[in-house]
């Protein structure tokens, strides 16, 4: 009797597990299709191995932790004049470099937009673009959080 | 390290288990995320990885572990030091291949990297397949060196010579040669103790480089040739080729300096201390506000020599302490020395008085005075604790050194010093003051070490170049004792706070000179005439180099005490080196 239960249980588990895997895969596909992520994310997944089974998640978390500081700095620099466009550009360059590490495609795009405004010395444009950066950043964070949660459950 | 290579799927050829595996790579990037990724990637390539978040730390590591790395991968934008500058240091001092990386693929940037000597320029995001191949730079460099050694050990390298020839012909054959070559190299440099390969490689230590620069200056920049330098240097194991290649690098370096100088000329040419900080900072492309402290006595010196500017971080304090009584050298006319020396050597050789810091002072008195610490370029910190006397003496013993040298060495030592000092940038100013008495001063480093400078009778002069808002100079003369507090970069210390930092003990006079340093004349014409505001030089500037005919050696140590608001940390550039941004 117990064997039957455990069989059923395993069977259910199996479906659940496979379901989760499918969900994770489809979510990742969407993240790529909607251009939240680019190839770099795949590159990270390839780096994950037995030595670092959670490598991707660790890297992504590191990015989101570290970038808080960068964002705050840019926020401060945008808060009041006089505006040092060179410095703004440098800071954004750094943030963009960081975003490239996890393949945050949309975020990077907004960063480039910001830098263009910087070159034009258009502070209003910069501020607007920075809102865009933060928005993409927050969206990506939410999506990746969910994604990792699903992947964890699926494994 | 070799064992790891088995776990890596990427290597198809069994040979790779030997050579590229275990390649010692130093990765420098201020971005922790990239650092983590690169570390993982390189490990997967079975390289031995060391990571480092600060350029200064990297330099420190590189100096500490000479021959401890095969290749350096560095980010271009780093808060504490420009990646290009690091590149320059590594190129001149360690002669290691350096790969630059950046998210920005602008041609001008890549060009700059290549011009500064980068062997490759990778764009972020960096892929593993790119990293897998970096060993080729190490190999190429070694082959290059072998070629430089040339005929001496031709028999040992004939395979390489062949390889060089084949290189241009066909890629296919080349592989075979490389394979052979690698095997050979392995047995050469790894199994056999110090192989000829190793001998071939000259590590241009600070010391060696100093000798080199000295020789160059002695000969005169225009007439200089590798053979002459070699003779003058008198180092038996050095070959003409070694010198020739270093000379070539050195020339390139000077040319760059000059170029920069031209750009900055308008800013650096300021003869007065009341330079607008903003201008300077922009011209130097420093990301931080910069303070310029220039010599006061411009009229006293010829035009060129008048261009002494010290650039420091926006908020900085300069302390100048004078030590007296250490007069070991006969006195010469400062003026004449300056004129001759300076013009012929510096101007003639087209060495710009570029680096705002380095060349701070052309006038003989100050320029020639050796700086107390860092003379060896090693571990400056301990030196702080020592009293000045020994340093002075050694400094005095040194002979005259033309300016270019000075400027050149500055960056090197400086960096080192800062490493040790928790990144405290500081400078020294030397001053000659016959009557001065040296009193003990205390130096506090961030680490809590309090050094007591032995009381050589001297007077301490404090110059406080003020930052943008308040550009006035406080000159503290004749102070019995001074307390310095040196802080790390992270500390925020406004110029305004300087009074607090300096605790002036009895008998100190503080003059606030407002915008004009000439106000220094408050201290008496004679002081100005003789000492001028003097040069403010970088303090790490170590040169054991002698100053030409300096009568009395009084050294002033300048310290900049600066702080950055924490948030602006990213923007901190310790640009004082001669290296070009």
């Amino acid at each position: 009797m117990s064997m039957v239960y455990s069989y059923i249980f395993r069977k259910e588990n199996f479906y659940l597990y496979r379901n989760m895997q499918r969900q994770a895969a489809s979510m990742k596909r969407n993240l790529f299709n909607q251009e939240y992520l680019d190839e770099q994310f795949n590159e990270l997944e390839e780096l994950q191995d037995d030595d670092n089974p959670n490598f991707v998640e660790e890297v992504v978390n590191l990015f989101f932790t570290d970038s808080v500081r960068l964002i705050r700095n840019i926020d401060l620099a945008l808060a009041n004049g006089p505006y040092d466009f060179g410095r703004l550009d440098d800071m954004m360059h750094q943030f963009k470099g960081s975003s490239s590490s996890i393949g945050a495609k949309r975020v990077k795009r907004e960063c480039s937009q910001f830098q263009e405004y910087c070159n034009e010395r258009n502070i209003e444009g910069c501020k607007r673009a920075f809102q865009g950066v933060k928005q993409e950043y927050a969206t990506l964070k939410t999506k990746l959080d969910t994604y990792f949660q699903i992947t964890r459950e699926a494994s | 390290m070799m064992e790891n290579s088995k776990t890596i799927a990427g290597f198809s050829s069994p040979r790779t288990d030997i050579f590229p595996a275990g390649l010692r790579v130093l990765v420098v990037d201020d971005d922790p995320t990239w650092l983590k990724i690169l570390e993982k990637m390189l490990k997967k390539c079975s390289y031995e990885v060391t990571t480092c978040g600060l350029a200064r730390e990297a330099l420190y590591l590189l100096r500490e572990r000479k021959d401890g790395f095969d290749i350096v991968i560095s980010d271009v934008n780093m808060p504490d030091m420009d990646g290009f500058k690091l590149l320059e240091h590594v190129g001149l001092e360690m002669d290691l291949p350096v790969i630059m990386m950046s998210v920005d693929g602008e041609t001008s940037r890549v060009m700059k990297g290549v011009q500064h000597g980068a062997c490759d320029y990778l764009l972020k995001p960096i892929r593993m397949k790119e990293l897998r191949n970096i060993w080729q730079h190490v190999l190429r460099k070694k082959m290059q060196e072998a070629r430089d050694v040339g005929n001496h050990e031709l028999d040992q390298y004939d395979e390489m010579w062949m390889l060089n020839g084949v290189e241009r012909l066909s890629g296919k054959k080349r592989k075979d040669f490389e394979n052979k070559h690698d095997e050979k190299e392995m047995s050469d440099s790894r199994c056999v103790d110090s192989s000829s390969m190793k001998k071939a490689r000259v590590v241009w230590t600070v010391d060696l480089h100093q000798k080199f620069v000295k020789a160059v200056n002695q000969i005169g920049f225009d007439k200089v040739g590798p053979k002459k330098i070699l003779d003058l240097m008198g180092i038996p194991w050095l070959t003409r080729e070694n010198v020739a290649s270093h000379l070539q690098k050195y020339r390139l370096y000077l040319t760059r300096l000059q170029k920069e100088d031209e750009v900055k000329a308008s800013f650096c040419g300021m003869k007065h201390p009341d330079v607008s900080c903003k201008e300077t900072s922009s011209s130097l492309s420093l990301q931080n506000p910069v303070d310029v402290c220039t010599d006061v006595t411009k009229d006293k010196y010829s035009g060129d020599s008048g261009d002494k500017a010290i650039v420091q971080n926006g908020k900085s304090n300069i302390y100048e302490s004078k030590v007296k009584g250490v007069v070991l050298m006969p006195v010469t006319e400062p003026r004449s020395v300056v004129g001759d020396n300076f013009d012929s050597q510096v101007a003639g050789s087209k060495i710009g008085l570029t680096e705002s810091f380095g060349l701070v002072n052309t006038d003989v008195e100050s320029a020639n005075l050796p700086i107390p610490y860092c003379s060896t370029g090693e571990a400056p910190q301990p030196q702080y604790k020592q009293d000045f006397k020994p340093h002075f003496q050694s400094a005095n013993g040194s002979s005259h050194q033309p300016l270019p040298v000075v400027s050149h060495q500055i960056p090197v030592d400086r960096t080192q010093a800062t490493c040790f000092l928790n990144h405290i940038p500081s400078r020294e100013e030397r001053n000659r003051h016959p009557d001065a008495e040296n009193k003990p001063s205390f130096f506090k480093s961030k680490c809590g070490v309090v050094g007591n400078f032995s009381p050589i009778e001297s007077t301490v002069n404090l110059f406080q170049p003020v930052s943008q808002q308040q550009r006035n100079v406080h000159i503290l003369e004749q102070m019995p004792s001074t307390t310095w507090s040196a802080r790390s970069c992270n500390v925020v210390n406004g110029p305004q706070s300087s009074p607090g930092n300096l605790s002036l003990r009895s008998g100190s006079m503080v003059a606030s000179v407002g915008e004009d340093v000439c106000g220094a004349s408050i201290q008496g014409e004679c002081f100005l005439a003789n000492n001028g505001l003097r040069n403010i030089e970088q303090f790490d500037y170590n040169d054991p180099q002698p100053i030409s005919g300096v009568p009395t050696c009084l050294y002033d140590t300048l310290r900049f005490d600066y702080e950055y608001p924490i948030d602006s940390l990213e923007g901190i550039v310790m640009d004082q080196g001669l290296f070009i941004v």
Side-chain angles (χ1 to χ4, degrees):
Chain A
M1 195 59 177
S2 64
M3 271 179 63
V4 175
Y5 276 128
S6 89
Y7 172 77
I8 294 172
F9 182 71
R10 261 183 294 167
K11 189 89 179 169
E12 267 181 9
N13 239 2
F14 172 74
Y15 284 122
L16 193 70
Y17 173 74
R18 205 173 62 179
N19 199 26
M20 285 302 225
Q21 277 187 321
R22 282 181 180 159
Q23 236 184 313
S26 115
M27 184 159 186
K28 187 181 151 193
R29 238 188 346 265
N30 281 336
L31 284 171
F32 274 81
N33 288 339
Q34 294 162 22
E35 301 200 311
Y36 283 104
L37 295 176
D38 64 21
E39 260 308 296
Q40 174 64 15
F41 193 78
N42 282 334
E43 186 92 357
L44 290 185
E45 290 197 315
E46 275 166 37
L47 288 175
Q48 189 158 295
D49 56 19
D50 292 344
D51 293 341
N52 302 72
N54 296 315
F55 184 73
V56 183
E57 199 177 343
E58 282 165 24
V59 168
V60 168
N61 285 340
L62 185 56
F63 164 72
F64 282 111
T65 315
D66 184 58
S67 47
V68 170
R69 175 181 56 95
L70 299 178
I71 289 181
R72 196 190 56 221
N73 285 348
I74 299 173
D75 249 336
L76 286 174
L78 284 174
N80 35 35
Y83 302 104
D84 181 346
F85 286 97
R87 181 154 175 268
L88 280 173
D89 187 65
D90 281 344
M91 289 192 291
M92 190 47 85
H93 182 267
Q94 205 184 346
F95 182 71
K96 188 175 160 191
S98 218
S99 309
S100 76
S101 67
I102 62 158
K105 196 171 180 181
R106 282 202 190 191
V107 176
K108 256 169 61 182
R109 197 187 293 152
E110 294 296 322
C111 291
S112 302
Q113 184 69 51
F114 181 97
Q115 287 182 303
E116 271 172 39
Y117 284 125
C118 259
N119 288 337
E120 298 166 9
R121 308 184 67 77
N122 174 355
I123 194 65
E124 287 314 314
C126 283
K127 285 178 176 170
R128 218 168 34 242
F130 190 54
Q131 289 312 311
V133 171
K134 286 202 280 194
Q135 202 174 326
E136 289 299 345
Y137 173 86
T139 313
L140 181 66
K141 187 169 188 324
T142 318
K143 288 190 183 276
L144 282 178
D145 279 347
T146 317
Y147 172 72
F148 286 123
Q149 202 182 331
I150 296 172
T151 356
R152 266 199 308 271
E153 283 165 17
S155 59
Chain B
M1 50 187 172
M2 306 283 171
E3 297 87 274
N4 310 347
S5 54
K6 304 259 158 140
T7 64
I8 281 114
F11 293 129
S12 47
S13 131
R15 183 184 64 84
T16 52
D17 282 351
I18 311 168
F19 166 58
L23 196 81
R24 296 157 307 169
V25 188
L26 177 65
V27 187
V28 196
D29 197 331
D30 61 304
D31 186 335
T33 318
W34 265 116
L35 223 44
K36 187 177 168 83
I37 296 171
L38 290 171
E39 183 182 17
K40 183 72 185 168
M41 284 179 165
L42 289 163
K43 275 188 177 155
K44 284 216 168 215
C45 296
S46 65
Y47 297 151
E48 215 180 281
V49 194
T50 310
T51 57
C52 189
L54 288 173
R56 273 166 202 293
E57 199 185 309
L59 259 185
Y60 172 73
L61 270 177
L62 285 165
R63 287 176 178 141
E64 188 79 340
R65 290 157 57 179
K66 286 229 150 78
D67 267 340
F69 300 98
D70 296 309
I71 191 167
V72 179
I73 304 181
S74 164
D75 190 35
V76 171
N77 302 82
M78 284 178 290
D80 65 326
M81 183 197 273
D82 192 288
F84 294 120
K85 199 173 298 172
L86 176 69
L87 173 59
E88 194 115 26
H89 277 291
V90 175
L92 274 172
E93 286 176 51
M94 297 89 185
D95 200 26
L96 287 176
V98 180
I99 297 175
M100 301 299 286
M101 57 185 175
S102 162
V103 71
D104 184 3
E106 223 176 283
T107 313
S108 62
R109 266 179 178 271
V110 179
M111 185 73 82
K112 196 172 171 188
V114 174
Q115 280 171 345
H116 279 67
C119 64
D120 205 349
Y121 197 106
L122 300 178
L123 287 190
K124 284 178 177 176
I126 291 165
R127 295 294 145 92
M128 192 148 145
K129 57 177 190 243
E130 295 171 296
L131 291 179
R132 202 162 265 151
N133 271 328
I134 59 171
W135 58 267
Q136 63 181 305
H137 301 295
V138 178
L139 179 58
R140 200 168 287 131
K141 192 120 196 161
K142 286 193 172 159
M143 280 164 35
Q144 180 76 43
E145 278 157 12
R147 210 175 327 179
D148 288 345
V149 172
N151 311 323
H152 304 287
E153 287 150 274
L154 185 57
D155 47 337
Q156 294 201 5
Y157 298 117
D158 57 351
E159 264 187 31
M160 260 170 267
W161 284 88
M162 274 168 77
L163 176 58
N164 293 336
V166 174
E167 217 168 27
R168 284 163 234 133
L169 300 178
S170 82
K172 218 180 178 187
K173 265 191 179 172
R174 177 178 160 189
K175 258 197 178 143
D176 297 333
F177 275 108
E178 267 181 20
N179 290 355
K180 263 197 212 161
H181 166 71
D182 285 348
E183 275 157 19
K184 184 172 172 55
E185 185 178 312
M186 284 314 302
S187 58
D188 272 358
S189 57
R190 301 246 160 150
C191 307
V192 182
D193 164 76
S194 63
S195 69
S196 45
M197 213 43 139
K198 277 242 147 113
K199 268 186 246 149
R201 170 170 193 157
V202 176
V203 177
W204 285 85
T205 60
V206 177
D207 240 23
L208 198 58
H209 182 68
Q210 263 170 22
K211 275 189 189 145
F212 168 84
V213 175
K214 220 166 166 176
V216 172
N217 290 315
Q218 214 166 317
I219 298 165
F221 199 80
D222 294 330
K223 290 168 275 174
V224 87
K227 185 79 177 69
K228 284 185 200 166
I229 298 176
L230 188 63
D231 292 346
L232 262 175
M233 284 175 75
I235 293 172
W237 49 268
L238 211 58
T239 66
R240 205 192 76 88
E241 285 78 10
N242 297 147
V243 177
S245 99
H246 195 66
L247 179 63
Q248 202 174 355
K249 267 191 216 160
Y250 186 60
R251 279 200 169 117
L252 277 174
Y253 160 73
L254 291 178
T255 318
R256 276 199 299 271
L257 277 194
Q258 193 203 355
K259 260 189 225 148
E260 247 205 11
D261 191 33
E262 281 161 14
V263 179
K264 294 177 190 169
S266 49
F267 301 104
C268 292
M270 309 167 276
K271 320 271 182 180
H272 289 285
D274 53 338
V275 175
S276 129
C277 313
K278 280 182 184 167
E279 279 177 348
T280 320
S281 70
S282 62
S283 69
L284 295 172
S285 43
L286 295 179
Q287 300 161 10
N288 260 2
V290 176
D291 232 12
V292 177
C293 178
T294 47
D295 71 311
V296 178
T297 57
K298 94 170 174 192
D299 299 335
K300 300 262 170 200
Y301 309 99
S302 59
D304 277 328
S305 56
D307 299 341
K308 309 143 191 180
I310 291 180
V311 180
Q312 247 299 0
N313 199 291
K315 302 157 186 189
S316 58
N317 302 332
I318 303 178
Y319 305 87
E320 172 190 338
S321 64
K322 295 183 198 163
V323 179
K324 158 229 174 148
V326 189
V327 180
L328 299 179
M329 305 184 63
V331 180
T332 0
E333 277 296 322
R335 233 259 143 110
S336 61
V337 177
V338 171
D340 297 341
N341 232 356
F342 180 72
D343 288 341
S344 61
Q345 306 255 11
V346 178
S349 59
K350 300 199 165 187
I351 295 170
L353 293 178
T354 58
E355 296 304 337
S356 19
F357 331 97
L359 294 181
V360 174
N361 229 336
T362 33
D363 72 319
V364 175
E365 298 165 354
S366 54
N368 290 333
L369 290 173
I371 292 198
Y373 19 105
C374 302
S375 52
T376 53
E378 300 190 25
Q381 199 173 13
Q383 290 178 335
Y384 288 132
K385 299 174 195 165
Q386 300 174 356
D387 61 354
F388 279 171
K389 201 158 185 178
H391 293 291
F392 294 147
Q393 284 170 339
S394 64
N396 290 338
S398 52
S399 47
H400 7 261
Q401 193 69 12
L403 280 176
V405 175
V406 171
S407 67
H408 181 73
Q409 283 159 353
I410 292 176
V412 176
D413 289 337
R414 199 182 149 280
T415 328
Q416 265 185 346
T418 45
C419 287
F420 284 101
L421 286 178
N422 301 318
H423 312 289
I424 301 167
S426 46
R427 296 165 177 209
E428 285 190 1
E429 179 170 324
R430 297 81 120 334
N431 215 338
R432 186 167 55 125
H433 210 316
D435 304 325
E437 286 185 355
N438 199 0
K439 300 277 167 118
S441 46
F442 298 89
F443 172 86
K444 269 189 222 162
S445 72
K446 174 187 158 199
C447 34
V449 179
V450 177
N452 197 342
F453 289 121
S454 82
I456 298 170
E457 311 172 37
S458 69
T459 319
V460 178
N461 265 0
L462 302 180
F463 288 87
Q464 178 194 356
V466 184
S467 62
Q468 324 177 345
Q469 310 100 332
Q470 309 169 284
R471 301 191 231 121
N472 35 7
V473 177
H474 298 277
I475 298 177
L476 311 181
E477 264 253 87
Q478 316 250 344
M479 300 180 44
S481 57
T482 315
T483 307
W484 293 351
S485 74
R487 306 185 176 183
S488 73
C489 314
N490 310 350
V491 184
V492 176
N493 191 3
Q496 308 83 339
S497 62
S498 58
N501 294 337
L502 299 177
S503 67
L504 307 178
R505 311 252 157 108
S506 60
S508 60
M509 175 177 92
V510 180
S512 172
V513 191
E515 302 222 350
D516 199 346
V517 175
C518 292
S521 55
I522 287 171
Q523 299 161 6
E525 247 304 301
C526 52
F527 171 71
L528 262 190
N530 292 336
N531 306 311
L533 239 193
R534 264 43 195 357
N535 333 314
I536 302 177
E537 298 191 17
Q538 270 197 311
F539 96 89
D540 347 53
Y541 165 136
N542 79 9
D543 50 327
Q545 325 256 4
I547 298 197
S548 32
V550 178
T552 10
C553 297
L554 300 176
Y555 301 87
D556 291 335
T557 46
L558 265 193
R559 281 205 78 74
F560 287 40
D561 202 356
Y562 61 98
E563 321 155 357
Y564 304 85
I566 292 174
D567 278 328
S568 69
L569 243 187
E570 302 162 16
I572 297 174
V573 175
M574 316 204 46
D575 230 359
Q576 332 179 349
L578 303 177
F579 292 88
I580 303 170
V581 181

